[in-house]
Amino acid sequence: MGHPDLIGLGATVLIAGLLARIARRYGLPSIPCYMLVGIAFGPGTPGPELVRHPGDLAVIAALGLVLLLFHLGVEFPVDQVLGGGRRLFLAAVICIGVNVCAGLLFGLVLGWGGSEALVIAGALGISSSAIVTKLLIELHRLTNAETPVILGIVVIEDLFLALYLALLSPVLSQAGSAAGLAADVAASFGFLLLLFLVARFGARAVASLVDSREDELFAVLTIGLVVLVAGLSDRLGVSDAIGALMTGLVLSRTEIRERVVRLVLPLRDVFAAVFFVTFGLTIDVARLGAVAAPVGIAVALTLVCNLAAGVAAARLFGFNQRGAVNIGLTMLGRGEFSLILATLALAAGLDARIGPFVAIYVLVLAVVSPLLATHSRYAARLMPDWILRPGWRYVREETISTSCTHLDRIRITETDAEECPQCVAEGIDWVELRLCVTCGRVGCCDDSPRRHASAHARESGHPIIQSAEPGEDWRWCFPDETLVQAPLGGRRSATVD
């Protein structure tokens, strides 16, 4: 690579970083910025051309892809997934199934080809864990009751990605016959099984191979191992991405994991930025008009599917309208994995429209997802009660939290009372009843004339009330001003389903 290419690459990456820094101030992710700069200064766009031959960056971009998947493997929380229980797995299966099946049908309707439809299904079906995590942090929702469900689903999606790549690789290799395709699929899953066995039984031996007291040698050995396994995976027709992911999973189960995170993973951010910029450089803006309508339909389809999956998860875990909308909109963003699939498709010689389609699709959702997630309260107002279950008429717009600091004050969770004693004594009517879970006193709600439940909370200092209406199990904490629910997997009260 000559100096002009180095100058162009350096200038492009620098501009991408500056644009990403500006975007961060407004709560937008950095991945779209990298892609936009690549598109703007690539050979497919009129104007300044900083990188004339994007193919010259293929090895660096491949290294970015490998380190992205390696990072996913290192950070993969196996215990969290296994401890999520059946409801979490069911919620993830519904979310993945709805989005992937809708993406597959959409891809087939486009008529670009069967292999292309499989790529589109994966691109539309898998959320961006980076964007999802960033949203949860920036919106201060880490202690929300639905957040463990969101993170659990995203983690299971990451696991599904490995299986999907193993299935997709033989298809992209364009096996000549059904028998050849079956043999390639068997080889892919066989290699995947071998890597799982190494992760289960040989992790210590692998760790000893790369371990060194010197940080420099440790980083060199680890990168060398990751690239080697990724290359072997690609040579076997499995996909370099799978090899990198599984290598990360192996090292995540060893005592050197923290050193890997500290010394090796920072390199990921630099090379990943080059990967996204390079992807943008390959986009020909002349093709964008042909994919504009399909992108609009795909975005709308993803929005509907995500909201449907959010409702299904909310029904499983007993969340209200706000929780359902939060799940659906927070997971709306698509990013690195969609671009990885598009890159593999283009490298396999599939329809060239996949590149612009996925690029614009990711860009639109990367902007739309944070905006919609931020205003989820308004979407919750539009969701009728019957979609979830009766009983959320007064709390549908509120976030349910597991961070309430007054759960130790819960002592009484059931009552047979059918009237507000104070309203009866005063000879007035009430609307609904609320139970003080500390002392068991029943009072009328805030839609009633006297608001006896709130008055009792102020006078007694008892923090939490519970709805005493049939079929309702929500609780409200006055000091924290939030709906409260036991943490995921925690013990629920007798009145909660």
Side-chain angles (χ1 to χ4, degrees), residues 341-378:
L341 291 173
T343 300
L344 295 176
L346 294 176
L350 299 189
D351 195 307
R353 288 174 291 185
I354 285 182
F357 170 81
V358 173
I360 302 305
Y361 172 76
V362 169
L363 284 172
V364 172
L365 284 183
V367 175
V368 169
S369 177
L371 295 176
L372 292 179
T374 301
H375 299 92
S376 59
R377 175 188 297 271
Y378 304 106

PDB file of all heavy atoms in Angstrom, residues 341-378:
ATOM      1  N   LEU A 341     -23.115  -9.869   7.716  1.00  0.00           N
ATOM      2  CA  LEU A 341     -23.812 -10.748   6.778  1.00  0.00           C
ATOM      3  C   LEU A 341     -23.774 -10.177   5.368  1.00  0.00           C
ATOM      4  O   LEU A 341     -23.573 -10.917   4.390  1.00  0.00           O
ATOM      5  CB  LEU A 341     -25.262 -10.943   7.236  1.00  0.00           C
ATOM      6  CG  LEU A 341     -25.456 -11.751   8.517  1.00  0.00           C
ATOM      7  CD1 LEU A 341     -26.916 -11.728   8.947  1.00  0.00           C
ATOM      8  CD2 LEU A 341     -24.990 -13.182   8.335  1.00  0.00           C
ATOM      9  N   ALA A 342     -23.966  -8.860   5.233  1.00  0.00           N
ATOM     10  CA  ALA A 342     -23.911  -8.245   3.911  1.00  0.00           C
ATOM     11  C   ALA A 342     -22.523  -8.377   3.301  1.00  0.00           C
ATOM     12  O   ALA A 342     -22.379  -8.643   2.097  1.00  0.00           O
ATOM     13  CB  ALA A 342     -24.317  -6.779   4.002  1.00  0.00           C
ATOM     14  N   THR A 343     -21.498  -8.204   4.115  1.00  0.00           N
ATOM     15  CA  THR A 343     -20.123  -8.342   3.632  1.00  0.00           C
ATOM     16  C   THR A 343     -19.857  -9.754   3.125  1.00  0.00           C
ATOM     17  O   THR A 343     -19.250  -9.952   2.066  1.00  0.00           O
ATOM     18  CB  THR A 343     -19.131  -7.998   4.762  1.00  0.00           C
ATOM     19  OG1 THR A 343     -19.355  -6.653   5.182  1.00  0.00           O
ATOM     20  CG2 THR A 343     -17.703  -8.128   4.276  1.00  0.00           C
ATOM     21  N   LEU A 344     -20.304 -10.754   3.883  1.00  0.00           N
ATOM     22  CA  LEU A 344     -20.125 -12.144   3.452  1.00  0.00           C
ATOM     23  C   LEU A 344     -20.874 -12.411   2.153  1.00  0.00           C
ATOM     24  O   LEU A 344     -20.384 -13.128   1.273  1.00  0.00           O
ATOM     25  CB  LEU A 344     -20.626 -13.092   4.549  1.00  0.00           C
ATOM     26  CG  LEU A 344     -19.855 -13.066   5.879  1.00  0.00           C
ATOM     27  CD1 LEU A 344     -20.520 -13.985   6.901  1.00  0.00           C
ATOM     28  CD2 LEU A 344     -18.404 -13.477   5.665  1.00  0.00           C
ATOM     29  N   ALA A 345     -22.068 -11.819   2.028  1.00  0.00           N
ATOM     30  CA  ALA A 345     -22.858 -12.025   0.814  1.00  0.00           C
ATOM     31  C   ALA A 345     -22.173 -11.418  -0.399  1.00  0.00           C
ATOM     32  O   ALA A 345     -22.118 -12.040  -1.478  1.00  0.00           O
ATOM     33  CB  ALA A 345     -24.251 -11.423   1.002  1.00  0.00           C
ATOM     34  N   LEU A 346     -21.650 -10.211  -0.254  1.00  0.00           N
ATOM     35  CA  LEU A 346     -20.970  -9.566  -1.372  1.00  0.00           C
ATOM     36  C   LEU A 346     -19.701 -10.311  -1.747  1.00  0.00           C
ATOM     37  O   LEU A 346     -19.370 -10.440  -2.937  1.00  0.00           O
ATOM     38  CB  LEU A 346     -20.653  -8.109  -1.009  1.00  0.00           C
ATOM     39  CG  LEU A 346     -21.871  -7.190  -0.814  1.00  0.00           C
ATOM     40  CD1 LEU A 346     -21.417  -5.815  -0.364  1.00  0.00           C
ATOM     41  CD2 LEU A 346     -22.689  -7.099  -2.096  1.00  0.00           C
ATOM     42  N   ALA A 347     -18.986 -10.816  -0.726  1.00  0.00           N
ATOM     43  CA  ALA A 347     -17.772 -11.579  -1.009  1.00  0.00           C
ATOM     44  C   ALA A 347     -18.085 -12.872  -1.745  1.00  0.00           C
ATOM     45  O   ALA A 347     -17.255 -13.374  -2.513  1.00  0.00           O
ATOM     46  CB  ALA A 347     -17.033 -11.890   0.300  1.00  0.00           C
ATOM     47  N   ALA A 348     -19.299 -13.413  -1.538  1.00  0.00           N
ATOM     48  CA  ALA A 348     -19.696 -14.649  -2.206  1.00  0.00           C
ATOM     49  C   ALA A 348     -20.271 -14.395  -3.598  1.00  0.00           C
ATOM     50  O   ALA A 348     -20.665 -15.338  -4.287  1.00  0.00           O
ATOM     51  CB  ALA A 348     -20.721 -15.388  -1.351  1.00  0.00           C
ATOM     52  N   GLY A 349     -20.329 -13.129  -4.009  1.00  0.00           N
ATOM     53  CA  GLY A 349     -20.812 -12.801  -5.337  1.00  0.00           C
ATOM     54  C   GLY A 349     -22.320 -12.765  -5.478  1.00  0.00           C
ATOM     55  O   GLY A 349     -22.839 -12.894  -6.587  1.00  0.00           O
ATOM     56  N   LEU A 350     -23.035 -12.564  -4.386  1.00  0.00           N
ATOM     57  CA  LEU A 350     -24.492 -12.466  -4.469  1.00  0.00           C
ATOM     58  C   LEU A 350     -24.908 -11.115  -5.033  1.00  0.00           C
ATOM     59  O   LEU A 350     -24.064 -10.273  -5.346  1.00  0.00           O
ATOM     60  CB  LEU A 350     -25.107 -12.688  -3.089  1.00  0.00           C
ATOM     61  CG  LEU A 350     -24.839 -14.053  -2.422  1.00  0.00           C
ATOM     62  CD1 LEU A 350     -25.687 -14.203  -1.168  1.00  0.00           C
ATOM     63  CD2 LEU A 350     -25.104 -15.206  -3.384  1.00  0.00           C
ATOM     64  N   ASP A 351     -26.207 -10.897  -5.140  1.00  0.00           N
ATOM     65  CA  ASP A 351     -26.749  -9.683  -5.746  1.00  0.00           C
ATOM     66  C   ASP A 351     -26.115  -8.435  -5.114  1.00  0.00           C
ATOM     67  O   ASP A 351     -26.129  -8.260  -3.898  1.00  0.00           O
ATOM     68  CB  ASP A 351     -28.271  -9.650  -5.540  1.00  0.00           C
ATOM     69  CG  ASP A 351     -28.947  -8.638  -6.443  1.00  0.00           C
ATOM     70  OD1 ASP A 351     -28.534  -7.465  -6.431  1.00  0.00           O
ATOM     71  OD2 ASP A 351     -29.897  -9.021  -7.157  1.00  0.00           O
ATOM     72  N   ALA A 352     -25.584  -7.565  -5.960  1.00  0.00           N
ATOM     73  CA  ALA A 352     -24.868  -6.383  -5.478  1.00  0.00           C
ATOM     74  C   ALA A 352     -25.774  -5.400  -4.758  1.00  0.00           C
ATOM     75  O   ALA A 352     -25.297  -4.516  -4.043  1.00  0.00           O
ATOM     76  CB  ALA A 352     -24.180  -5.686  -6.650  1.00  0.00           C
ATOM     77  N   ARG A 353     -27.102  -5.527  -4.941  1.00  0.00           N
ATOM     78  CA  ARG A 353     -28.023  -4.626  -4.262  1.00  0.00           C
ATOM     79  C   ARG A 353     -28.083  -4.861  -2.758  1.00  0.00           C
ATOM     80  O   ARG A 353     -28.582  -4.013  -2.006  1.00  0.00           O
ATOM     81  CB  ARG A 353     -29.430  -4.779  -4.859  1.00  0.00           C
ATOM     82  CG  ARG A 353     -29.572  -4.198  -6.260  1.00  0.00           C
ATOM     83  CD  ARG A 353     -30.932  -4.505  -6.854  1.00  0.00           C
ATOM     84  NE  ARG A 353     -31.075  -5.924  -7.156  1.00  0.00           N
ATOM     85  CZ  ARG A 353     -32.140  -6.451  -7.777  1.00  0.00           C
ATOM     86  NH1 ARG A 353     -33.135  -5.658  -8.156  1.00  0.00           N
ATOM     87  NH2 ARG A 353     -32.197  -7.750  -8.015  1.00  0.00           N
ATOM     88  N   ILE A 354     -27.573  -6.010  -2.294  1.00  0.00           N
ATOM     89  CA  ILE A 354     -27.614  -6.311  -0.857  1.00  0.00           C
ATOM     90  C   ILE A 354     -26.792  -5.285  -0.076  1.00  0.00           C
ATOM     91  O   ILE A 354     -27.188  -4.865   1.018  1.00  0.00           O
ATOM     92  CB  ILE A 354     -27.099  -7.738  -0.595  1.00  0.00           C
ATOM     93  CG1 ILE A 354     -28.158  -8.751  -1.019  1.00  0.00           C
ATOM     94  CG2 ILE A 354     -26.752  -7.939   0.880  1.00  0.00           C
ATOM     95  CD1 ILE A 354     -27.775 -10.175  -0.756  1.00  0.00           C
ATOM     96  N   GLY A 355     -25.652  -4.876  -0.619  1.00  0.00           N
ATOM     97  CA  GLY A 355     -24.798  -3.917   0.075  1.00  0.00           C
ATOM     98  C   GLY A 355     -25.505  -2.606   0.350  1.00  0.00           C
ATOM     99  O   GLY A 355     -25.623  -2.180   1.505  1.00  0.00           O
ATOM    100  N   PRO A 356     -25.993  -1.899  -0.688  1.00  0.00           N
ATOM    101  CA  PRO A 356     -26.718  -0.647  -0.433  1.00  0.00           C
ATOM    102  C   PRO A 356     -27.969  -0.845   0.422  1.00  0.00           C
ATOM    103  O   PRO A 356     -28.288   0.009   1.254  1.00  0.00           O
ATOM    104  CB  PRO A 356     -27.080  -0.159  -1.845  1.00  0.00           C
ATOM    105  CG  PRO A 356     -26.098  -0.826  -2.744  1.00  0.00           C
ATOM    106  CD  PRO A 356     -25.781  -2.146  -2.114  1.00  0.00           C
ATOM    107  N   PHE A 357     -28.682  -1.952   0.198  1.00  0.00           N
ATOM    108  CA  PHE A 357     -29.904  -2.201   0.963  1.00  0.00           C
ATOM    109  C   PHE A 357     -29.618  -2.280   2.456  1.00  0.00           C
ATOM    110  O   PHE A 357     -30.247  -1.589   3.274  1.00  0.00           O
ATOM    111  CB  PHE A 357     -30.562  -3.498   0.480  1.00  0.00           C
ATOM    112  CG  PHE A 357     -31.689  -3.969   1.355  1.00  0.00           C
ATOM    113  CD1 PHE A 357     -32.956  -3.422   1.233  1.00  0.00           C
ATOM    114  CD2 PHE A 357     -31.476  -4.949   2.322  1.00  0.00           C
ATOM    115  CE1 PHE A 357     -34.001  -3.841   2.049  1.00  0.00           C
ATOM    116  CE2 PHE A 357     -32.503  -5.382   3.140  1.00  0.00           C
ATOM    117  CZ  PHE A 357     -33.770  -4.828   3.003  1.00  0.00           C
ATOM    118  N   VAL A 358     -28.657  -3.116   2.838  1.00  0.00           N
ATOM    119  CA  VAL A 358     -28.337  -3.290   4.260  1.00  0.00           C
ATOM    120  C   VAL A 358     -27.739  -2.009   4.827  1.00  0.00           C
ATOM    121  O   VAL A 358     -28.035  -1.626   5.970  1.00  0.00           O
ATOM    122  CB  VAL A 358     -27.384  -4.487   4.466  1.00  0.00           C
ATOM    123  CG1 VAL A 358     -26.921  -4.574   5.917  1.00  0.00           C
ATOM    124  CG2 VAL A 358     -28.082  -5.783   4.064  1.00  0.00           C
ATOM    125  N   ALA A 359     -26.918  -1.324   4.055  1.00  0.00           N
ATOM    126  CA  ALA A 359     -26.291  -0.087   4.538  1.00  0.00           C
ATOM    127  C   ALA A 359     -27.343   0.957   4.903  1.00  0.00           C
ATOM    128  O   ALA A 359     -27.315   1.531   6.008  1.00  0.00           O
ATOM    129  CB  ALA A 359     -25.331   0.461   3.484  1.00  0.00           C
ATOM    130  N   ILE A 360     -28.274   1.220   4.009  1.00  0.00           N
ATOM    131  CA  ILE A 360     -29.298   2.235   4.278  1.00  0.00           C
ATOM    132  C   ILE A 360     -30.249   1.762   5.372  1.00  0.00           C
ATOM    133  O   ILE A 360     -30.690   2.550   6.227  1.00  0.00           O
ATOM    134  CB  ILE A 360     -30.074   2.562   2.991  1.00  0.00           C
ATOM    135  CG1 ILE A 360     -29.100   3.055   1.923  1.00  0.00           C
ATOM    136  CG2 ILE A 360     -31.126   3.627   3.257  1.00  0.00           C
ATOM    137  CD1 ILE A 360     -28.252   4.234   2.342  1.00  0.00           C
ATOM    138  N   TYR A 361     -30.582   0.483   5.368  1.00  0.00           N
ATOM    139  CA  TYR A 361     -31.447  -0.089   6.407  1.00  0.00           C
ATOM    140  C   TYR A 361     -30.842   0.121   7.790  1.00  0.00           C
ATOM    141  O   TYR A 361     -31.517   0.563   8.734  1.00  0.00           O
ATOM    142  CB  TYR A 361     -31.643  -1.577   6.104  1.00  0.00           C
ATOM    143  CG  TYR A 361     -32.348  -2.371   7.172  1.00  0.00           C
ATOM    144  CD1 TYR A 361     -33.724  -2.274   7.346  1.00  0.00           C
ATOM    145  CD2 TYR A 361     -31.640  -3.252   7.991  1.00  0.00           C
ATOM    146  CE1 TYR A 361     -34.376  -3.026   8.325  1.00  0.00           C
ATOM    147  CE2 TYR A 361     -32.276  -4.007   8.956  1.00  0.00           C
ATOM    148  CZ  TYR A 361     -33.650  -3.887   9.114  1.00  0.00           C
ATOM    149  OH  TYR A 361     -34.282  -4.626  10.078  1.00  0.00           O
ATOM    150  N   VAL A 362     -29.558  -0.177   7.931  1.00  0.00           N
ATOM    151  CA  VAL A 362     -28.873   0.001   9.212  1.00  0.00           C
ATOM    152  C   VAL A 362     -28.806   1.473   9.592  1.00  0.00           C
ATOM    153  O   VAL A 362     -29.030   1.846  10.750  1.00  0.00           O
ATOM    154  CB  VAL A 362     -27.460  -0.621   9.161  1.00  0.00           C
ATOM    155  CG1 VAL A 362     -26.636  -0.213  10.378  1.00  0.00           C
ATOM    156  CG2 VAL A 362     -27.553  -2.136   9.083  1.00  0.00           C
ATOM    157  N   LEU A 363     -28.513   2.334   8.612  1.00  0.00           N
ATOM    158  CA  LEU A 363     -28.429   3.771   8.885  1.00  0.00           C
ATOM    159  C   LEU A 363     -29.762   4.323   9.389  1.00  0.00           C
ATOM    160  O   LEU A 363     -29.800   5.071  10.371  1.00  0.00           O
ATOM    161  CB  LEU A 363     -28.007   4.513   7.619  1.00  0.00           C
ATOM    162  CG  LEU A 363     -26.530   4.422   7.215  1.00  0.00           C
ATOM    163  CD1 LEU A 363     -26.322   5.038   5.840  1.00  0.00           C
ATOM    164  CD2 LEU A 363     -25.647   5.108   8.238  1.00  0.00           C
ATOM    165  N   VAL A 364     -30.839   3.951   8.732  1.00  0.00           N
ATOM    166  CA  VAL A 364     -32.154   4.466   9.126  1.00  0.00           C
ATOM    167  C   VAL A 364     -32.520   3.997  10.532  1.00  0.00           C
ATOM    168  O   VAL A 364     -32.939   4.796  11.384  1.00  0.00           O
ATOM    169  CB  VAL A 364     -33.226   4.020   8.112  1.00  0.00           C
ATOM    170  CG1 VAL A 364     -34.625   4.372   8.621  1.00  0.00           C
ATOM    171  CG2 VAL A 364     -32.987   4.677   6.761  1.00  0.00           C
ATOM    172  N   LEU A 365     -32.355   2.716  10.802  1.00  0.00           N
ATOM    173  CA  LEU A 365     -32.729   2.197  12.118  1.00  0.00           C
ATOM    174  C   LEU A 365     -31.809   2.721  13.217  1.00  0.00           C
ATOM    175  O   LEU A 365     -32.244   2.896  14.364  1.00  0.00           O
ATOM    176  CB  LEU A 365     -32.707   0.670  12.109  1.00  0.00           C
ATOM    177  CG  LEU A 365     -33.886  -0.009  11.410  1.00  0.00           C
ATOM    178  CD1 LEU A 365     -33.780  -1.530  11.543  1.00  0.00           C
ATOM    179  CD2 LEU A 365     -35.215   0.456  11.978  1.00  0.00           C
ATOM    180  N   ALA A 366     -30.551   2.968  12.889  1.00  0.00           N
ATOM    181  CA  ALA A 366     -29.633   3.495  13.895  1.00  0.00           C
ATOM    182  C   ALA A 366     -30.051   4.881  14.367  1.00  0.00           C
ATOM    183  O   ALA A 366     -29.775   5.267  15.511  1.00  0.00           O
ATOM    184  CB  ALA A 366     -28.204   3.538  13.336  1.00  0.00           C
ATOM    185  N   VAL A 367     -30.723   5.636  13.494  1.00  0.00           N
ATOM    186  CA  VAL A 367     -31.221   6.956  13.865  1.00  0.00           C
ATOM    187  C   VAL A 367     -32.609   6.868  14.483  1.00  0.00           C
ATOM    188  O   VAL A 367     -32.915   7.520  15.486  1.00  0.00           O
ATOM    189  CB  VAL A 367     -31.241   7.893  12.638  1.00  0.00           C
ATOM    190  CG1 VAL A 367     -31.876   9.227  12.994  1.00  0.00           C
ATOM    191  CG2 VAL A 367     -29.826   8.098  12.109  1.00  0.00           C
ATOM    192  N   VAL A 368     -33.465   6.025  13.892  1.00  0.00           N
ATOM    193  CA  VAL A 368     -34.853   5.927  14.336  1.00  0.00           C
ATOM    194  C   VAL A 368     -34.973   5.262  15.703  1.00  0.00           C
ATOM    195  O   VAL A 368     -35.771   5.690  16.543  1.00  0.00           O
ATOM    196  CB  VAL A 368     -35.688   5.156  13.290  1.00  0.00           C
ATOM    197  CG1 VAL A 368     -37.061   4.792  13.834  1.00  0.00           C
ATOM    198  CG2 VAL A 368     -35.829   5.985  12.023  1.00  0.00           C
ATOM    199  N   SER A 369     -34.176   4.223  15.941  1.00  0.00           N
ATOM    200  CA  SER A 369     -34.308   3.454  17.188  1.00  0.00           C
ATOM    201  C   SER A 369     -34.123   4.304  18.440  1.00  0.00           C
ATOM    202  O   SER A 369     -34.966   4.258  19.353  1.00  0.00           O
ATOM    203  CB  SER A 369     -33.311   2.288  17.181  1.00  0.00           C
ATOM    204  OG  SER A 369     -33.362   1.565  18.392  1.00  0.00           O
ATOM    205  N   PRO A 370     -33.052   5.116  18.563  1.00  0.00           N
ATOM    206  CA  PRO A 370     -32.924   5.945  19.773  1.00  0.00           C
ATOM    207  C   PRO A 370     -34.062   6.951  19.933  1.00  0.00           C
ATOM    208  O   PRO A 370     -34.516   7.200  21.048  1.00  0.00           O
ATOM    209  CB  PRO A 370     -31.574   6.655  19.580  1.00  0.00           C
ATOM    210  CG  PRO A 370     -30.834   5.825  18.602  1.00  0.00           C
ATOM    211  CD  PRO A 370     -31.869   5.250  17.701  1.00  0.00           C
ATOM    212  N   LEU A 371     -34.524   7.519  18.817  1.00  0.00           N
ATOM    213  CA  LEU A 371     -35.597   8.511  18.902  1.00  0.00           C
ATOM    214  C   LEU A 371     -36.893   7.869  19.393  1.00  0.00           C
ATOM    215  O   LEU A 371     -37.584   8.411  20.265  1.00  0.00           O
ATOM    216  CB  LEU A 371     -35.814   9.153  17.536  1.00  0.00           C
ATOM    217  CG  LEU A 371     -34.642   9.995  16.991  1.00  0.00           C
ATOM    218  CD1 LEU A 371     -34.956  10.495  15.593  1.00  0.00           C
ATOM    219  CD2 LEU A 371     -34.351  11.159  17.926  1.00  0.00           C
ATOM    220  N   LEU A 372     -37.243   6.703  18.861  1.00  0.00           N
ATOM    221  CA  LEU A 372     -38.469   6.037  19.276  1.00  0.00           C
ATOM    222  C   LEU A 372     -38.367   5.512  20.701  1.00  0.00           C
ATOM    223  O   LEU A 372     -39.319   5.619  21.479  1.00  0.00           O
ATOM    224  CB  LEU A 372     -38.793   4.885  18.318  1.00  0.00           C
ATOM    225  CG  LEU A 372     -39.187   5.277  16.894  1.00  0.00           C
ATOM    226  CD1 LEU A 372     -39.466   4.043  16.061  1.00  0.00           C
ATOM    227  CD2 LEU A 372     -40.393   6.199  16.905  1.00  0.00           C
ATOM    228  N   ALA A 373     -37.206   4.951  21.051  1.00  0.00           N
ATOM    229  CA  ALA A 373     -37.038   4.408  22.409  1.00  0.00           C
ATOM    230  C   ALA A 373     -37.124   5.522  23.450  1.00  0.00           C
ATOM    231  O   ALA A 373     -37.668   5.326  24.544  1.00  0.00           O
ATOM    232  CB  ALA A 373     -35.701   3.683  22.518  1.00  0.00           C
ATOM    233  N   THR A 374     -36.614   6.692  23.120  1.00  0.00           N
ATOM    234  CA  THR A 374     -36.661   7.815  24.053  1.00  0.00           C
ATOM    235  C   THR A 374     -38.095   8.245  24.341  1.00  0.00           C
ATOM    236  O   THR A 374     -38.409   8.676  25.459  1.00  0.00           O
ATOM    237  CB  THR A 374     -35.869   9.002  23.481  1.00  0.00           C
ATOM    238  OG1 THR A 374     -34.513   8.593  23.255  1.00  0.00           O
ATOM    239  CG2 THR A 374     -35.873  10.177  24.441  1.00  0.00           C
ATOM    240  N   HIS A 375     -38.975   8.114  23.365  1.00  0.00           N
ATOM    241  CA  HIS A 375     -40.363   8.565  23.515  1.00  0.00           C
ATOM    242  C   HIS A 375     -41.324   7.381  23.612  1.00  0.00           C
ATOM    243  O   HIS A 375     -42.469   7.460  23.138  1.00  0.00           O
ATOM    244  CB  HIS A 375     -40.747   9.467  22.336  1.00  0.00           C
ATOM    245  CG  HIS A 375     -39.905  10.711  22.238  1.00  0.00           C
ATOM    246  ND1 HIS A 375     -38.757  10.766  21.478  1.00  0.00           N
ATOM    247  CD2 HIS A 375     -40.032  11.929  22.820  1.00  0.00           C
ATOM    248  CE1 HIS A 375     -38.216  11.979  21.578  1.00  0.00           C
ATOM    249  NE2 HIS A 375     -38.965  12.698  22.387  1.00  0.00           N
ATOM    250  N   SER A 376     -40.886   6.301  24.225  1.00  0.00           N
ATOM    251  CA  SER A 376     -41.717   5.106  24.322  1.00  0.00           C
ATOM    252  C   SER A 376     -42.988   5.344  25.131  1.00  0.00           C
ATOM    253  O   SER A 376     -43.983   4.641  24.958  1.00  0.00           O
ATOM    254  CB  SER A 376     -40.913   3.956  24.942  1.00  0.00           C
ATOM    255  OG  SER A 376     -40.442   4.314  26.239  1.00  0.00           O
ATOM    256  N   ARG A 377     -42.971   6.341  26.025  1.00  0.00           N
ATOM    257  CA  ARG A 377     -44.154   6.645  26.837  1.00  0.00           C
ATOM    258  C   ARG A 377     -45.378   6.940  25.954  1.00  0.00           C
ATOM    259  O   ARG A 377     -46.491   6.516  26.259  1.00  0.00           O
ATOM    260  CB  ARG A 377     -43.871   7.849  27.731  1.00  0.00           C
ATOM    261  CG  ARG A 377     -45.077   8.337  28.532  1.00  0.00           C
ATOM    262  CD  ARG A 377     -44.761   9.634  29.228  1.00  0.00           C
ATOM    263  NE  ARG A 377     -43.700   9.471  30.207  1.00  0.00           N
ATOM    264  CZ  ARG A 377     -43.908   9.131  31.479  1.00  0.00           C
ATOM    265  NH1 ARG A 377     -45.126   8.909  31.907  1.00  0.00           N
ATOM    266  NH2 ARG A 377     -42.890   9.015  32.308  1.00  0.00           N
ATOM    267  N   TYR A 378     -45.143   7.653  24.854  1.00  0.00           N
ATOM    268  CA  TYR A 378     -46.260   8.041  23.996  1.00  0.00           C
ATOM    269  C   TYR A 378     -46.802   6.847  23.218  1.00  0.00           C
ATOM    270  O   TYR A 378     -48.008   6.748  22.988  1.00  0.00           O
ATOM    271  CB  TYR A 378     -45.823   9.150  23.049  1.00  0.00           C
ATOM    272  CG  TYR A 378     -45.272  10.354  23.786  1.00  0.00           C
ATOM    273  CD1 TYR A 378     -43.909  10.631  23.804  1.00  0.00           C
ATOM    274  CD2 TYR A 378     -46.133  11.195  24.487  1.00  0.00           C
ATOM    275  CE1 TYR A 378     -43.407  11.726  24.494  1.00  0.00           C
ATOM    276  CE2 TYR A 378     -45.638  12.294  25.186  1.00  0.00           C
ATOM    277  CZ  TYR A 378     -44.277  12.544  25.189  1.00  0.00           C
ATOM    278  OH  TYR A 378     -43.785  13.606  25.892  1.00  0.00           O
TER     279      TYR A 378
END
